[in-house]
Amino acid sequence: MEYRELSVPGAWEITPKQFGDPRGVFLEWFKAEKFEEALGHPLDLQQANCSVSSAGVLRGIHFADTPPGQAKYVTCAKGAVLDVVVDVRVGSPTFGQWDSVLLDDTDRRAIYLGEGLGHAFMALEDDSTVMYLCSTGYSPGREHGIHPLDPEVGIEWPTTARDGSPLAPLLSDKDVAAPSLSEAVASSLLPTLEQVDAHLASLRNR
């Protein structure tokens, strides 16, 4: 299992070792020891989610109030998605920047997004199945979003599906109504780097 930090600090790409034989494939997609070794603190697992999406479905950009925030460890068990992390921490040197990892059922990579980061993904195939481990449970009052097509963020979403067919983004009503990054800043909706760093320090001191 290999960890590679992305260009947005606090987000990591995880590549597992796969063991195949005529029966199929086995892999470890999360290992607590390796996680803590790479990040310096454990993942406090409080909820596990599964979403199934048609090709073109675009979910995000979602984030939670920090503290406690919501860290996510994400993989794609079936199909393929482009998974994106956005730095929404006010005061961060990489504020507003994004990076991505292709999650699919071939390489079976995972992505970890720490507290205070925005998360989004687009399905590249029908029935793409995304599994994610979360550090906190669902709490609608402290969970927010930024419009995933906001030109200020400028995410380069795929226009071609896994089978080569054209791809158009399909958003929920909630994500369509989400504010732009500038609007989120103006309404003090976003976490600050100071808040996130203080929360991460408390995790490391446990």
Side-chain angles (χ1 to χ4, degrees):
M1 185 175 289
E2 296 180 0
Y3 277 72
R4 178 180 70 87
E5 190 166 21
L6 301 180
S7 61
V8 174
W12 298 74
E13 174 193 81
I14 302 99
T15 303
K17 291 183 179 179
Q18 301 188 59
F19 302 91
D21 61 28
R23 300 170 300 164
V25 175
F26 174 84
L27 68 142
E28 297 170 341
W29 74 280
F30 173 77
K31 194 165 187 176
E33 179 184 4
K34 291 290 185 181
F35 180 91
E36 190 164 353
E37 180 181 301
L39 277 81
H41 64 80
L43 175 61
D44 183 12
L45 175 59
Q46 295 296 321
Q47 185 168 307
N49 298 336
C50 174
S51 70
V52 181
S53 303
S54 302
V57 167
L58 176 52
R59 302 181 188 271
I61 305 164
H62 301 151
F63 64 96
D65 292 336
T66 305
Q70 187 181 63
K72 297 175 181 177
Y73 190 105
V74 187
T75 194
C76 182
K78 177 186 177 184
V81 303
L82 183 71
D83 201 284
V84 174
V85 55
V86 181
D87 193 344
V88 297
R89 301 167 296 192
V90 175
S92 169
T94 54
F95 177 75
Q97 296 183 28
W98 62 275
D99 203 347
S100 64
V101 174
L102 176 65
L103 304 180
D104 61 24
D105 51 16
T106 300
D107 294 321
R108 297 184 170 88
R109 292 189 178 93
I111 182 174
Y112 173 74
L113 308 96
E115 291 86 350
L117 298 177
H119 178 233
F121 66 83
M122 175 183 271
L124 308 181
E125 182 176 286
D126 285 343
D127 296 324
S128 290
T129 303
V130 174
M131 312 283 289
Y132 41 110
L133 310 177
C134 302
S135 65
T136 57
Y138 176 64
S139 178
R142 59 177 180 80
E143 298 185 14
H144 313 285
I146 293 168
H147 201 295
L149 302 179
D150 180 6
E152 184 180 355
V153 180
I155 299 171
E156 297 174 7
W157 293 111
T159 56
T160 305
R162 204 179 191 189
D163 63 4
S165 61
L167 203 60
L170 176 61
L171 282 65
S172 69
D173 292 341
K174 182 179 179 180
D175 287 339
V176 168
S180 67
L181 183 65
S182 293
E183 290 169 339
V185 171
S187 61
S188 301
L189 196 62
L190 303 176
T192 67
L193 181 63
E194 184 178 4
Q195 289 170 329
V196 174
D197 284 348
H199 180 64
L200 291 176
S202 70
L203 293 179
R204 295 187 179 100
N205 291 332
R206 286 181 180 177

